[in-house]
Structure formats: structure tokens, C-alpha cells
């Protein structure tokens, strides 16, 4: 009894210690919830007044962080709640009588803790819901402001009213500019009166060192290290391109920071200039990123390091436009910030937007014209590559975007025009960067994870993996990482205005077009366009995936050509089916409606399309079970040939006369088909003949074996064999067999063996053939028979 009480006391003390630890942990988690709730309340209070674009972005980030914190804290509390439930279950149900007081006290403590944790979990869930509601409200407000901004129309530049409003606002705007510059000049002059601004001069000197010798030294150093330490040429090129981007972005960023910080330490500029100086740093970094990304893509001065397969002439022709795009991006950002700093009038802001938009139109139009000229010049070359339909479509869409932006500019929609052009330019920069990054990822994965790499050799020797498995892992890793990069790039493309804002914006614009309701589904022009765009985008994704599957992944496997064809066909049809479902879903047709439609079509399939369905199902069986593969030699009825292609409806067989026999797949499943290469690819030739009974059988057998041995196509294993089949009518009948590598070689090998046997038998005086016949004529006169 004493031992039992000591054991219960130990358990109670341990439980008390754990409860104290949990109480401390619960207090910390409660503080985290309180912080998240405080952030949500602060954002909610700030939304009672009008918020600018930057304030909205900060509020959205803050409320999303609070939501994440609340979710993490709630998850931790849920673990504690599960632990408390387990402890309560371990104590058992409460007894009516006879239960020890320590057990009752421990159950009461655990019950109170459970109530507190459960309340905190409900509180955290409520905070998460409120945070999500605030985030949705901010996103809707951003979309509304964006829609209002893009739909704002000013006077057309071709109308006199535009210039009249600009002239009317000019005196006020010029005074604002003068006051802003005068404030900066006064501060600058005042700082000079206190002595030489060594800190500002040091900042300018550091900026010059970074931009001129520093950037050049970093590029040379990177190229030298890559040349010495990277044996793989493809990985060396992609790493060099990424290094140029890093250097080209960091150099102007650090130089701008040095200038701005030097000016601030020297107190040479007023506080009102602080936002403009911050924008100067951002603009410098973005301009450097734009120029370096496109420069690394073209690699005009170093063609041997170029990744993009273009000519030196194309790189030299396009490089000036990329530099001008970087300068234009810098000026655009600085002009916008300058207008905000001085409080420019709406007329001045509209004029600035019109000028920047016109500059973008001219730059992008000139770039597209240069691309068109390069493409037309290339098609005149004798070894010109075929045109890419996808690039042609992108080029057409770019021209349409430029034309639409120019039309919006002429009609007074300056914000809309500039918005489209900047997204187009940013898409080019982002696409170039994503292309280089994807190439680098593929080169890295293909270099590190191959059967011949050090990592691959270590995995093969250490884990006993197959070489093809390592190759497949490298290809799959590359594909997954590139898919992640593509998704992130899409988000970055929409980052200037937010993906959710775009969806809301297009939803508001699409609501302007009235549609009609059909079977509970609203069909409108916007929905049709959206469905078509989704369909084309999905088909493009399927095409890209199929190209990767056929050219990258399947060659890394141990599958033969037929197996690759089967996987490729199934993947293609599954991808097309998913794209079709996606397109229908984008029209508002749910999965349940699609299922009802398919069930209705099944009736028609059962009657009118029975043969097609039968062939389709038979094709899937052929691709899955593979009784017939590409390259097999088959006989269907009286026709014999090689299988060249297997689709889900029919199979193509090339006959010996080079014609093509198209056989429905149901015929290959339901009828008898002779496959000469299914289980064994060897071919067999058979020669039968007879010799007189006086001939030496052993000598004849040796001649036959020598004839087979002299034929190159005949295999040594399995070895040729000669048998005496029978002895009849004074003749010995022989039957011989030999094997060749493929049934296709049997006919020629048998012909050569026949020729050799005839020559040897003639030389040895051995007669072959059939038993000579004797004809006897029996007449009534009993004349002698004639032979």
C-alpha cells in the first residue's frame, strides 16, 4: 500500500510539473495571440480613414502576418489540447465515491487548463477570420482604386482642351517646382557654409568606384572563377549569366545608397527630399536589374557565353533597346515620385503619364520592328530554321498591345496606356530572367544528378541505385523547380497590382457585358473569351509538358520506344481532357454538370459511336498491356509488316512494299494476330531437301552446317542444327534450322544458304531433289513399255 501511494504521489508531482510548464507555454501563446489581435485591430482602425496605395500594401502585409501568427499559435494550442485530452482520458472517468483527493485535484486542474486552451483556440480562429476579412476588404479596395485609376479619362492630347488645362496649371506647377528646388538649394548652400562636405564627396567617390572599376572587377573575377572551377560548360554559362545579373543589379544599388547616405550624413538635402532619395535608390536598382537581365540574355560582347540561341547580329541590334528600357524605367519611377513630392496638378501628372507612355510606345514599337526585320532577314538564308508559331503569336499580341495602348493614349486614357505598356516591358524583363534561371536550374540538376557525376557515382555505389534512376531524379527535380519558378514568376508579373486585384478588376469589367443564362450557367462574351484564353493557355502548357516529357524525361528512362510512345500518348490525352475540364470550369460549368453531360453523351456513345468507343478502349488496352509494340513484326490476316505507330484509335503497319496498313485497334484485340517479335526477337530459317540413299549422310550434314557457318547473318547461339527427317522411296530427307537476329533477316539469309548448298552439292556430285518418276504405257498389243 505504501509503494502504491508513493507511485501515485510521483505521478501527481510529475503532472504538476508538466502542468506548470504548459501554463507557461500557454501564457506565451496567449501573448502571441494578443499581438496578432492588436495588429488586426490597428489595421481595422486605420481603414476607417482613407489610405494611400503604399499604406494599403503595408496594411495588407501586416494583417496577413497577423493571420499567419494566429494560425501558427492556434496549431500549437491544438497540440496542447490533444495532450490534455489524453491526460484526462488517462485519469479515467470521475468516480462517484472512493476517489483520491489528489486525483480529483489533478483532474480539476487539467479541466481548467483545457477550458482555457479551448477558449484560446476559438479566439485564434476568430482572429484569423477577421484578418482574412480585412485582407479581402483591402484587396477589394485596391482593385476598386485600380479600376478607377485605369478608367480615368483625361482630355485627348490631340484636343486643344488638354493643352489649355496644362497651360492653366503651368504657373502653379512651376512655382511648386521652384519652391521644391529652392528648398533643396538652400539646404545645400547652408551645408557648404559649414565646410567641405567630405562625407558627401566620399559617397560620390565610392559610387564611382562601385560603378566603374568595381563592377568590371566583379565581372572579371566571376568569369575567372567560373572558368577554373566549373568543368561543365553549360553550367558555367548559366552561372555566368546569373552572376552578371547579380553584379549588374547590386552595383547601381550600392552606388545609389552610397550617394544618398553621403548626402544625408552631410545634411545637404532637406527632409522633404527624403522620399525622392529613397525612390532614387529603388529606381537605380530596378534600372540595373532591367539592363543586366536583358544584357545577360543577349551577351553581346561575349557570344561564347551566350545562352539564348541568337546570332551576334541580333544581339548587337537589340542591346541598345535594352539599355534604353533601363533608362526609361529609371526616369519613369523618378518622375512619378517627383510629381508626388511637389504635389503636381492632375494636368501635369496626366502630361507626364502621356510622355512616358509615348516613350514606351516608341521604344517597344522600335524593338518589335527590329525583331521583325531580323526574322525576315533570317528566312532568306538557305539554312534558316523554321519559324516558331508561338513566337509569332507573342509578336502579334505585343503589336496588338502597343496598338491598343497607343489608341488609349490618343483617346485620353493615359493611366491605362501606361499600365499596359509597363506590364509589357516588365513581362519582357521577367521572362528573360525566368528563362535564364530555368536554364541554370536545368543545367545544375542535369550536371549534379547524372550517373557519371560524383554524386551519381556515390549514390550508385553507396545505395545501389540504377543509373537511369539518378538521371530521372535529375530531370524530375529540374521540372519541379522550374514549375515553381514559373508559378512565382506569374505572381511577380501581377505584383504591381496584385493577382487578386486583377481578378476582381476583370470581374467588374466583365459585368458590364450582359450575358444570358442557360441551364443555370451564365454565358457572356467575357466568359467566352476567358474560356478561350484558358483553353489556349492549357493547350500551351500541355504542349510544353509533352515537349519536356518526350525530350527530357522519357529519354532518361530505360523504356524502349514503344513504352515511351505509350506513356506519351496517355499523358497527352489526359492533359487534353484536363484542359477541356478546366476550360469548361472557367465558363462556370462545374464538375457535376460535366459529369451529367458525359452521362448524357454515353447514351449516344452506346448507339451511334459504339465502333469508335470500341477502338478507343482497345487502343488503351494496347497501350497498357502492350501485346503489340512499335517495331514489332506482325501478321494480320495475309498482311505482314512492321508496326510504326499506335494511337488510341488505330495502328499503322508498314508493309514490305512501303505502303501503310491502317488497322482499327479492335481488330488487334478481338482477332488473331501473329507477333513474330513479342517474346523473342530472333528469326528462324528452315531448309528442307532430300538426297539419294547412296549419299554420305554425315558429309551432307557437314556441308549444311558449313553453309550456315559461312553466312554472317546466322547466329552462333543458338547453334544451327540438321536432322534426318525420314527415309522414303530410296531418298534421305533432311530438315535443317538456323537462327538470325530478327525475322526480317531470315529471307535473305535463307537465300544465301540455298545458293551455298547448291554450289557445294554440285561440287561434291551430290544430287538433290525428288524421286525420279518412271512412266509405263501398257497397250493391248503388249508392246514393250517406254520409259
Amino acid at each position: 500500500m505504501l509503494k502504491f501511494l508513493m507511485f501515485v504521489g510521483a505521478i501527481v508531482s510529475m503532472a504538476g510539473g508538466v502542468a506548470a510548464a504548459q501554463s507557461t507555454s500557454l501564457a506565451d501563446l496567449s501573448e502571441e495571440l494578443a499581438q496578432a489581435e492588436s495588429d488586426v485591430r490597428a489595421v481595422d482602425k486605420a481603414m476607417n480613414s482613407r489610405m494611400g496605395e503604399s499604406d494599403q500594401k503595408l496594411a495588407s502585409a501586416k494583417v496577413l502576418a497577423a493571420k499567419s501568427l494566429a494560425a501558427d499559435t492556434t496549431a500549437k494550442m491544438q497540440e496542447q489540447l490533444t495532450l490534455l485530452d489524453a491526460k484526462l482520458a488517462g485519469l479515467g472517468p470521475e468516480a462517484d465515491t472512493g476517489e483520491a483527493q489528489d486525483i480529483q485535484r489533478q483532474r480539476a486542474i487539467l479541466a481548467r487548463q483545457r477550458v482555457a486552451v479551448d477558449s484560446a483556440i476559438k479566439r485564434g480562429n476568430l482572429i484569423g477570420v477577421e484578418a482574412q476579412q480585412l485582407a479581402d476588404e483591402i484587396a477589394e479596395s485596391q482593385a476598386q482604386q485600380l479600376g478607377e485609376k485605369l478608367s480615368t479619362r483625361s482630355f485627348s492630347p490631340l484636343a486643344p482642351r488638354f493643352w489649355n488645362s496644362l497651360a492653366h496649371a503651368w504657373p502653379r506647377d512651376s512655382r511648386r517646382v521652384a519652391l521644391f528646388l529652392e528648398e533643396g538649394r538652400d539646404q545645400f548652400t547652408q551645408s557648404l557654409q559649414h565646410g567641405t562636405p567630405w562625407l558627401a564627396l566620399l559617397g560620390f567617390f565610392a559610387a564611382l568606384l562601385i560603378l566603374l572599376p568595381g563592377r568590371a572587377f566583379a565581372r572579371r573575377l566571376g568569369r575567372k572563377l567560373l572558368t577554373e572551377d566549373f568543368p561543365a560548360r553549360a553550367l558555367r554559362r548559366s552561372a555566368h549569366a546569373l552572376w552578371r545579373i547579380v553584379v549588374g543589379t547590386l552595383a547601381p544599388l550600392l552606388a545609389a545608397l552610397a550617394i544618398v547616405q553621403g548626402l544625408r550624413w552631410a545634411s545637404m538635402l532637406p527632409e522633404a527630399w527624403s522620399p525622392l532619395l529613397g525612390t532614387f535608390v529603388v529606381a537605380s536598382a530596378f534600372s540595373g536589374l532591367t539592363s543586366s537581365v536583358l544584357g545577360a540574355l543577349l551577351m553581346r560582347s561575349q557570344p561564347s557565353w551566350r545562352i539564348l540561341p541568337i546570332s551576334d547580329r541580333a544581339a548587337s541590334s537589340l542591346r541598345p533597346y535594352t539599355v534604353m528600357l533601363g533608362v526609361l524605367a529609371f526616369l519613369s519611377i523618378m518622375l512619378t515620385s517627383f510629381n508626388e513630392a511637389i504635389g503636381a496638378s492632375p494636368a501635369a501628372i496626366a502630361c507626364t503619364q502621356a510622355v512616358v507612355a509615348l516613350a514606351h510606345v516608341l521604344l517597344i514599337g522600335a524593338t518589335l520592328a527590329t525583331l521583325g526585320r531580323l526574322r525576315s532577314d533570317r528566312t532568306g538564308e538557305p539554312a534558316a530554321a523554321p519559324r516558331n508559331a508561338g513566337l509569332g503569336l507573342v509578336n502579334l499580341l505585343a503589336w496588338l498591345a502597343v496598338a491598343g495602348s497607343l489608341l488609349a493614349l490618343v483617346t485620353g486614357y493615359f493611366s491605362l496606356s501606361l499600365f499596359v505598356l509597363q506590364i509589357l516591358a516588365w513581362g519582357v524583363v521577367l521572362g528573360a530572367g525566368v528563362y535564364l534561371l530555368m536554364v541554370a536550374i536545368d543545367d545544375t540538376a542535369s550536371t549534379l544528378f547524372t550517373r557519371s557525376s560524383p554524386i551519381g557515382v556515390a549514390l550508385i555505389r553507396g545505395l545501389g541505385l540504377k543509373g537511369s534512376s539518378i538521371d530521372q531524379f535529375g530531370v524530375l527535380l529540374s521540372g519541379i523547380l522550374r514549375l515553381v519558378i514559373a508559378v512565382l514568376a506569374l505572381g511577380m508579373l501581377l505584383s504591381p497590382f496584385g493577382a487578386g486585384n486583377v481578378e476582381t478588376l476583370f470581374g467588374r469589367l466583365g459585368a458590364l457585358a450582359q450575358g444570358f443564362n442557360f441551364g443555370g450557367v451564365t454565358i457572356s462574351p467575357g466568359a467566352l473569351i476567358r474560356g478561350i484564353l484558358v483553353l489556349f493557355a492549357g493547350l500551351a502548357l500541355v504542349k510544353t509538358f509533352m515537349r519536356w516529357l518526350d525530350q527530357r524525361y522519357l529519354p532518361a528512362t530505360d523504356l524502349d520506344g514503344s513504352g515511351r510512345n505509350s506513356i506519351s500518348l496517355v499523358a497527352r490525352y489526359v492533359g487534353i481532357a484536363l484542359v477541356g475540364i478546366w476550360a469548361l470550369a472557367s465558363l462556370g460549368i462545374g464538375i457535376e454538370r460535366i459529369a451529367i453531360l458525359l452521362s448524357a453523351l454515353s447514351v449516344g456513345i452506346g448507339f451511334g459511336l459504339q465502333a469508335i468507343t470500341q477502338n478507343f478502349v482497345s487502343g488503351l488496352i494496347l497501350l497498357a498491356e502492350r501485346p503489340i509494340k512499335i517495331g514489332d513484326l506482325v501478321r494480320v490476316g495475309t498482311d505482314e509488316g512492321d508496326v510504326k505507330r499506335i494511337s488510341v484509335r488505330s495502328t499503322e503497319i508498314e508493309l514490305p512494299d512501303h505502303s501503310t496498313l491502317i488497322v482499327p485497334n479492335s481488330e488487334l484485340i478481338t482477332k488473331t494476330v501473329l507477333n513474330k517479335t513479342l517474346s523473342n526477337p530472333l528469326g528462324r530459317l528452315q531448309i528442307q531437301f532430300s538426297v539419294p540413299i547412296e549419299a554420305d549422310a554425315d558429309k551432307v550434314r557437314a556441308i549444311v552446317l558449313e553453309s550456315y557457318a559461312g553466312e554472317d547473318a546466322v547466329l552462333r547461339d543458338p547453334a544451327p542444327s540438321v536432322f534426318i527427317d525420314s527415309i522414303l522411296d530410296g531418298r534421305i530427307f533432311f530438315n535443317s534450322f538456323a537462327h538470325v537476329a530478327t525475322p526480317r533477316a531470315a529471307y535473305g539469309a535463307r537465300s544465301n544458304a540455298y545458293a551455298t548448298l547448291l554450289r557445294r552439292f554440285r561440287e561434291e556430285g551430290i544430287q538433290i531433289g525428288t524421286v525420279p518418276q518412271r512412266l509405263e504405257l501398257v497397250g493391248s498389243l503388249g508392246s514393250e513399255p517406254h520409259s
Side-chain angles (χ1 to χ4, degrees), residues 386-419:
R387 291 191 177 186
N388 192 318
L391 293 178
L393 179 61
V394 172
N395 188 45
L396 176 61
L397 293 177
W399 274 115
L400 291 176
V402 171
S405 301
L406 183 59
L407 179 62
L409 177 62
V410 171
T411 54
Y413 291 97
F414 303 139
S415 298
L416 178 61
S417 175
L418 184 58
F419 175 81

Short mmCIF file of all heavy atoms in Angstrom, two decimals, residues 386-419:
data_model
loop_
_atom_site.label_atom_id
_atom_site.label_comp_id
_atom_site.label_asym_id
_atom_site.label_seq_id
_atom_site.Cartn_x
_atom_site.Cartn_y
_atom_site.Cartn_z
N PRO A 386 12.96 26.78 -89.30
CA PRO A 386 11.56 27.08 -89.49
C PRO A 386 11.05 28.04 -88.43
O PRO A 386 11.51 28.06 -87.30
CB PRO A 386 10.89 25.70 -89.35
CG PRO A 386 11.86 24.88 -88.58
CD PRO A 386 13.22 25.39 -88.97
N ARG A 387 10.09 28.83 -88.81
CA ARG A 387 9.54 29.82 -87.87
C ARG A 387 8.77 29.14 -86.76
O ARG A 387 8.12 28.11 -86.95
CB ARG A 387 8.61 30.77 -88.63
CG ARG A 387 9.35 31.70 -89.60
CD ARG A 387 8.42 32.78 -90.09
NE ARG A 387 9.11 33.72 -90.96
CZ ARG A 387 8.53 34.83 -91.42
NH1 ARG A 387 7.29 35.11 -91.11
NH2 ARG A 387 9.21 35.65 -92.20
N ASN A 388 8.86 29.75 -85.59
CA ASN A 388 8.15 29.24 -84.43
C ASN A 388 6.80 29.94 -84.35
O ASN A 388 6.72 31.16 -84.26
CB ASN A 388 8.98 29.52 -83.17
CG ASN A 388 8.44 28.76 -81.97
OD1 ASN A 388 7.23 28.69 -81.77
ND2 ASN A 388 9.33 28.20 -81.19
N ALA A 389 5.73 29.12 -84.40
CA ALA A 389 4.39 29.70 -84.38
C ALA A 389 4.12 30.41 -83.06
O ALA A 389 3.43 31.44 -83.02
CB ALA A 389 3.35 28.61 -84.61
N GLY A 390 4.68 29.88 -81.94
CA GLY A 390 4.46 30.53 -80.65
C GLY A 390 5.08 31.91 -80.59
O GLY A 390 4.47 32.86 -80.09
N LEU A 391 6.30 32.05 -81.11
CA LEU A 391 6.93 33.37 -81.13
C LEU A 391 6.18 34.34 -82.02
O LEU A 391 6.06 35.53 -81.72
CB LEU A 391 8.38 33.23 -81.60
CG LEU A 391 9.32 32.48 -80.66
CD1 LEU A 391 10.72 32.39 -81.27
CD2 LEU A 391 9.40 33.16 -79.30
N GLY A 392 5.66 33.82 -83.13
CA GLY A 392 4.87 34.68 -84.00
C GLY A 392 3.61 35.17 -83.30
O GLY A 392 3.22 36.34 -83.46
N LEU A 393 2.96 34.28 -82.53
CA LEU A 393 1.76 34.70 -81.79
C LEU A 393 2.09 35.74 -80.73
O LEU A 393 1.36 36.72 -80.55
CB LEU A 393 1.11 33.47 -81.16
CG LEU A 393 -0.15 33.72 -80.33
CD1 LEU A 393 -1.24 34.33 -81.20
CD2 LEU A 393 -0.65 32.42 -79.69
N VAL A 394 3.21 35.53 -80.01
CA VAL A 394 3.63 36.50 -79.00
C VAL A 394 3.92 37.85 -79.65
O VAL A 394 3.55 38.92 -79.13
CB VAL A 394 4.86 35.98 -78.24
CG1 VAL A 394 5.44 37.06 -77.33
CG2 VAL A 394 4.49 34.76 -77.41
N ASN A 395 4.57 37.81 -80.80
CA ASN A 395 4.87 39.05 -81.52
C ASN A 395 3.59 39.77 -81.93
O ASN A 395 3.48 41.01 -81.81
CB ASN A 395 5.73 38.72 -82.75
CG ASN A 395 6.25 39.97 -83.43
OD1 ASN A 395 6.74 40.88 -82.77
ND2 ASN A 395 6.15 40.02 -84.73
N LEU A 396 2.61 39.01 -82.40
CA LEU A 396 1.33 39.61 -82.79
C LEU A 396 0.62 40.22 -81.59
O LEU A 396 0.08 41.34 -81.66
CB LEU A 396 0.45 38.55 -83.45
CG LEU A 396 -0.96 38.98 -83.85
CD1 LEU A 396 -0.92 40.12 -84.86
CD2 LEU A 396 -1.75 37.80 -84.39
N LEU A 397 0.60 39.50 -80.48
CA LEU A 397 -0.04 40.04 -79.28
C LEU A 397 0.67 41.29 -78.78
O LEU A 397 0.01 42.24 -78.30
CB LEU A 397 -0.05 38.97 -78.18
CG LEU A 397 -0.92 37.73 -78.44
CD1 LEU A 397 -0.77 36.72 -77.31
CD2 LEU A 397 -2.38 38.12 -78.62
N ALA A 398 1.99 41.32 -78.88
CA ALA A 398 2.72 42.52 -78.47
C ALA A 398 2.35 43.72 -79.35
O ALA A 398 2.15 44.83 -78.85
CB ALA A 398 4.23 42.25 -78.53
N TRP A 399 2.26 43.49 -80.65
CA TRP A 399 1.84 44.58 -81.54
C TRP A 399 0.43 45.04 -81.21
O TRP A 399 0.14 46.25 -81.23
CB TRP A 399 1.92 44.13 -83.00
CG TRP A 399 3.26 44.29 -83.63
CD1 TRP A 399 4.09 43.32 -84.08
CD2 TRP A 399 3.94 45.54 -83.90
NE1 TRP A 399 5.24 43.86 -84.60
CE2 TRP A 399 5.17 45.22 -84.51
CE3 TRP A 399 3.62 46.87 -83.67
CZ2 TRP A 399 6.08 46.20 -84.90
CZ3 TRP A 399 4.54 47.85 -84.05
CH2 TRP A 399 5.74 47.51 -84.65
N LEU A 400 -0.46 44.10 -80.91
CA LEU A 400 -1.83 44.48 -80.55
C LEU A 400 -1.84 45.29 -79.26
O LEU A 400 -2.61 46.26 -79.13
CB LEU A 400 -2.70 43.23 -80.40
CG LEU A 400 -3.00 42.45 -81.69
CD1 LEU A 400 -3.79 41.19 -81.38
CD2 LEU A 400 -3.75 43.33 -82.70
N ALA A 401 -1.00 44.90 -78.29
CA ALA A 401 -0.93 45.65 -77.04
C ALA A 401 -0.40 47.06 -77.27
O ALA A 401 -0.91 48.04 -76.70
CB ALA A 401 -0.03 44.91 -76.04
N VAL A 402 0.60 47.19 -78.13
CA VAL A 402 1.14 48.51 -78.44
C VAL A 402 0.09 49.35 -79.15
O VAL A 402 -0.09 50.55 -78.85
CB VAL A 402 2.41 48.38 -79.29
CG1 VAL A 402 2.86 49.74 -79.81
CG2 VAL A 402 3.52 47.73 -78.48
N ALA A 403 -0.61 48.73 -80.11
CA ALA A 403 -1.65 49.47 -80.84
C ALA A 403 -2.77 49.90 -79.90
O ALA A 403 -3.26 51.04 -79.96
CB ALA A 403 -2.20 48.62 -81.98
N GLY A 404 -3.20 48.99 -79.02
CA GLY A 404 -4.23 49.35 -78.05
C GLY A 404 -3.78 50.44 -77.10
O GLY A 404 -4.56 51.35 -76.76
N SER A 405 -2.53 50.37 -76.66
CA SER A 405 -2.01 51.41 -75.76
C SER A 405 -1.93 52.76 -76.47
O SER A 405 -2.23 53.81 -75.87
CB SER A 405 -0.63 51.00 -75.25
OG SER A 405 -0.69 49.78 -74.56
N LEU A 406 -1.54 52.74 -77.73
CA LEU A 406 -1.49 53.99 -78.48
C LEU A 406 -2.89 54.56 -78.66
O LEU A 406 -3.09 55.79 -78.55
CB LEU A 406 -0.85 53.74 -79.84
CG LEU A 406 -0.66 54.96 -80.74
CD1 LEU A 406 0.22 56.01 -80.04
CD2 LEU A 406 -0.06 54.57 -82.08
N LEU A 407 -3.88 53.68 -78.91
CA LEU A 407 -5.25 54.16 -79.02
C LEU A 407 -5.74 54.74 -77.70
O LEU A 407 -6.40 55.81 -77.68
CB LEU A 407 -6.15 53.00 -79.46
CG LEU A 407 -7.64 53.32 -79.61
CD1 LEU A 407 -7.86 54.38 -80.69
CD2 LEU A 407 -8.44 52.07 -79.94
N ALA A 408 -5.44 54.07 -76.59
CA ALA A 408 -5.82 54.61 -75.28
C ALA A 408 -5.12 55.92 -75.00
O ALA A 408 -5.69 56.84 -74.41
CB ALA A 408 -5.49 53.59 -74.20
N LEU A 409 -3.88 56.05 -75.44
CA LEU A 409 -3.13 57.30 -75.25
C LEU A 409 -3.76 58.44 -76.03
O LEU A 409 -3.90 59.57 -75.52
CB LEU A 409 -1.68 57.09 -75.68
CG LEU A 409 -0.75 58.31 -75.62
CD1 LEU A 409 -0.63 58.81 -74.19
CD2 LEU A 409 0.62 57.96 -76.18
N VAL A 410 -4.16 58.15 -77.24
CA VAL A 410 -4.75 59.19 -78.09
C VAL A 410 -6.10 59.62 -77.54
O VAL A 410 -6.46 60.81 -77.60
CB VAL A 410 -4.85 58.68 -79.53
CG1 VAL A 410 -5.65 59.67 -80.40
CG2 VAL A 410 -3.46 58.49 -80.13
N THR A 411 -6.86 58.66 -77.00
CA THR A 411 -8.20 58.99 -76.52
C THR A 411 -8.22 59.56 -75.10
O THR A 411 -9.29 59.90 -74.60
CB THR A 411 -9.08 57.74 -76.56
OG1 THR A 411 -8.44 56.68 -75.85
CG2 THR A 411 -9.33 57.30 -78.00
N GLY A 412 -7.06 59.62 -74.44
CA GLY A 412 -7.00 60.26 -73.14
C GLY A 412 -6.90 59.32 -71.96
O GLY A 412 -6.83 59.79 -70.82
N TYR A 413 -6.88 57.99 -72.17
CA TYR A 413 -6.73 57.04 -71.07
C TYR A 413 -5.24 56.81 -70.82
O TYR A 413 -4.67 55.77 -71.14
CB TYR A 413 -7.43 55.73 -71.41
CG TYR A 413 -8.93 55.84 -71.46
CD1 TYR A 413 -9.60 56.04 -72.67
CD2 TYR A 413 -9.69 55.76 -70.29
CE1 TYR A 413 -10.98 56.14 -72.72
CE2 TYR A 413 -11.08 55.88 -70.33
CZ TYR A 413 -11.72 56.06 -71.55
OH TYR A 413 -13.08 56.17 -71.59
N PHE A 414 -4.60 57.82 -70.22
CA PHE A 414 -3.15 57.78 -70.04
C PHE A 414 -2.73 56.69 -69.05
O PHE A 414 -1.75 55.98 -69.26
CB PHE A 414 -2.63 59.14 -69.57
CG PHE A 414 -2.99 60.26 -70.49
CD1 PHE A 414 -3.39 61.50 -70.00
CD2 PHE A 414 -2.92 60.10 -71.87
CE1 PHE A 414 -3.72 62.53 -70.86
CE2 PHE A 414 -3.24 61.14 -72.73
CZ PHE A 414 -3.64 62.35 -72.22
N SER A 415 -3.47 56.56 -67.95
CA SER A 415 -3.12 55.56 -66.94
C SER A 415 -3.23 54.15 -67.50
O SER A 415 -2.37 53.30 -67.28
CB SER A 415 -4.02 55.71 -65.71
OG SER A 415 -3.84 56.98 -65.10
N LEU A 416 -4.29 53.89 -68.25
CA LEU A 416 -4.47 52.58 -68.85
C LEU A 416 -3.37 52.28 -69.86
O LEU A 416 -2.82 51.17 -69.89
CB LEU A 416 -5.85 52.51 -69.52
CG LEU A 416 -6.18 51.20 -70.25
CD1 LEU A 416 -6.15 50.03 -69.28
CD2 LEU A 416 -7.53 51.31 -70.94
N SER A 417 -3.04 53.27 -70.69
CA SER A 417 -2.00 53.07 -71.68
C SER A 417 -0.66 52.79 -71.03
O SER A 417 0.05 51.83 -71.39
CB SER A 417 -1.90 54.31 -72.57
OG SER A 417 -0.83 54.20 -73.48
N LEU A 418 -0.30 53.59 -70.04
CA LEU A 418 0.98 53.39 -69.36
C LEU A 418 1.00 52.08 -68.59
O LEU A 418 2.03 51.38 -68.53
CB LEU A 418 1.23 54.57 -68.41
CG LEU A 418 2.57 54.58 -67.68
CD1 LEU A 418 3.73 54.57 -68.66
CD2 LEU A 418 2.66 55.78 -66.75
N PHE A 419 -0.13 51.72 -68.01
CA PHE A 419 -0.23 50.46 -67.27
C PHE A 419 0.06 49.26 -68.18
O PHE A 419 0.87 48.39 -67.85
CB PHE A 419 -1.63 50.35 -66.67
CG PHE A 419 -1.91 49.06 -65.97
CD1 PHE A 419 -1.47 48.85 -64.68
CD2 PHE A 419 -2.61 48.05 -66.60
CE1 PHE A 419 -1.73 47.65 -64.04
CE2 PHE A 419 -2.87 46.86 -65.97
CZ PHE A 419 -2.43 46.67 -64.67
#
